[in-house]
Amino acid sequence: MHRLLENRNFLGFAFMLPAGVLLLLFLTYPLGLGTWLGFTDAKVGRSGEWIGLDNYIYLWGDAVARLSVFNTFFYTVVASVIKFALGLWLAILLNQNIPIKSFVRAAVLLPFIVPTALSAIAFWWIYDAQFSIISWTLVKLGWIDTYIDFLGQPWAARLSTIAANIWRGVPFVAICLLAGLQTISPSLYEAASIDGATPSQQFWYVTLPLLTPIIAVVMTFSVLFTFTDFQLIYVLTRGGPLNATHLMATLSFQRAISGGGLGEGAALATAMIPFLLAAILFSYFGLQRRAWQQGGGDK
Amino acid sequence: MAAVTLKGVFKSFGSTRVVHGVDIRIEDGEFCVLVGPSGCGKSTLLRMIAGLEEISGGEIEIGGRVVNKVPPKERDIAMVFQNYALYPHMTVFDNMAFSMKLAGESREKMRQRVEVAANILGLIEYLDRYPRQLSGGQRQRVAMGRAIVRDPQVFLFDEPLSNLDAKLRVQMRTEIKELHQRLTTTSIYVTHDQIEAMTMADKIVVMNDGKTEQIGTPLELYDNPANLFVAGFIGSPAMNFLNGKLIRSEAGMQVQMVDGLMLPAPTSAEQEGREVVVGVRPEHLLVRSDGVHAEVVVVEPTGADTQIFCKVGGTDVIAVVRERHQFKPGEAIRLYPELTFLFDPASGKRL
């Protein structure tokens, strides 16, 4: 027993065991179960039979499911691009010497700290057809005559949910990129300014390349979060109007839990996995593995 | 190439003044070293010359042109930073060619000039590597290469050797000096290491507390320090300071040491009775039977010479002798100061 406790391999295994069990129980098992269910015709109250790819074939032919795939991509691409641009801009702004810097930095994080369901409810009010503060302001300013129906029209609803997602996601991007900016040595900018670089050239030739590793990580996370977003949509629109804002995650939930079609919902959820893997691989191979980060010894 | 002139330059950060009215003239082609303890303002001064720090007052001229309001890139200077400031995402070639790339030079010209600099510095086979794949000394060379490629009026070095190990530091010291002899570009070099200053400089500016203490050639500073600070800072091991008193005797003015030893003092008669600080360099202390009483504490033979750490009337004193003595700790010996410098204890000024 005593010798066993001295053994590095045994100790390593022993210390990893609790985490391993947790992962198996709460991550691997549900994931496996979900994938399995996708290949069955399980319904609520009935364990399913193996039906192969039938669910996927059915979903491929289903207009709503296809719309949800389009919505998910539209939502992810537009929100991520804007989150990146806004986040980078905010990070650069916060990296300057501005008064009450730490307070502003803390304030920027606020949308990220507030529970999503709560901020979604706030946006629900902001987007309300009768009580919207945005419509009210615009009307008072005399810019529009009638209240905007933010969540009632397909494209308005899509853009409104994207705006809410951006509001919630920007702080994460901004704070991570700010951390990245602060790792760039100020002497590089000094060297660049002596070398004759204008501020925009310094950004292009120094800041951006040095930030790519962090951009890759942050944007991978951001894309994953956005792609799998559920709460915001579910609170704001429940996928409506006319399924215009249904993402794969919300539609999967609706089909599986509300609709009782466990197999079908699980198949839709499983269909998200290849896209997510592709995003991860793209960031890993495309952005993170740059030769200059790899070092490769001193000689 | 150009001369650099500083006229009454000062710098304040908020209400704290860190550089107090510095006047220096650095001739065309000169290698000037700014040396002083950390926090003495030498780096700030260099950064003001580079244009990285604003000048709070006074004038800086490069090649006869006042550059107070000129941005760094138009000052025609190149700077080597303490941490090298190499762009980690660029190869050695791109690092060295970056300024030309920004200036829109042709690829042909870039290759040509980078190759010239790389040949001088022995970097030709490393042009495709990234900074991370280089050793400290090679990175240092790339940083210099980046400066050389620009062919500037003035080179600025900000403690460029302090991140290198001792052996490499000595080697690079020689390389930089050789490089300067070859290119003869006006160079301003900041360091806290007085040996670097002594070995490399044509002109040394000793700084302390944001002021220049003395400006001169290395040997001028060594042979003729203007005050206690310069005397203690230049030379290694540092100069010994003992207390003494000036008295007049039939042999003229003399300084009386702690234990009564009298030494000739080249001062005027009015100074009689005054307390002074007697500075003696370690190599000017001779083991001789007519010297001051000293007690040996530690003996460190280095081969070529021997450093004897001893106590003279409660003061720590180092003597460097070339003869080989077999002293034991605690042994009483006598040290004779062959050459002395007298300083006013209050102002630190040389008498």
Side-chain angles (χ1 to χ4, degrees), chain A residues 187 190 194-195 205 292 295 298, chain B residues 47 83 87-89 133 150:
Chain A
S187 61
E190 290 175 349
I194 289 178
D195 274 341
Y205 290 115
W292 59 270
D298 257 6
Chain B
R47 293 167 57 82
N83 62 0
Y87 310 116
H89 54 294
Q133 298 165 304
R150 302 194 48 210

Side-chain angles (χ1 to χ4, degrees), chain A residues 185 187-198 201 205-206 209-210 291-299, chain B residues 47 52 72-73 77 79 81 83 85-90 98-99 101-102 129-130 132-135 139 146 150:
Chain A
S185 161
S187 61
L188 288 182
Y189 293 108
E190 290 175 349
S193 75
I194 289 178
D195 274 341
T198 60
Q201 282 171 324
Y205 290 115
V206 179
L210 290 179
W292 59 270
Q293 297 164 16
Q294 300 301 307
D298 257 6
K299 285 273 150 98
Chain B
R47 293 167 57 82
L52 300 172
K73 59 172 176 171
I77 45 130
M79 185 155 167
F81 291 83
N83 62 0
L86 299 179
Y87 310 116
H89 54 294
M90 296 185 197
F98 188 56
S99 59
K101 183 178 174 183
L102 293 173
R129 299 238 189 134
Y130 288 93
R132 290 212 174 174
Q133 298 165 304
L134 302 177
S135 67
R139 285 182 214 176
R146 192 166 64 179
R150 302 194 48 210

Side-chain angles (χ1 to χ4, degrees), chain A residues 63-86:
Chain A
V64 177
R66 273 157 55 169
L67 182 65
S68 80
V69 174
F70 165 78
N71 288 340
T72 308
F73 271 87
F74 184 74
Y75 188 76
T76 306
V77 170
V78 175
S80 294
V81 167
I82 297 178
K83 271 191 276 196
F84 171 65
L86 277 180

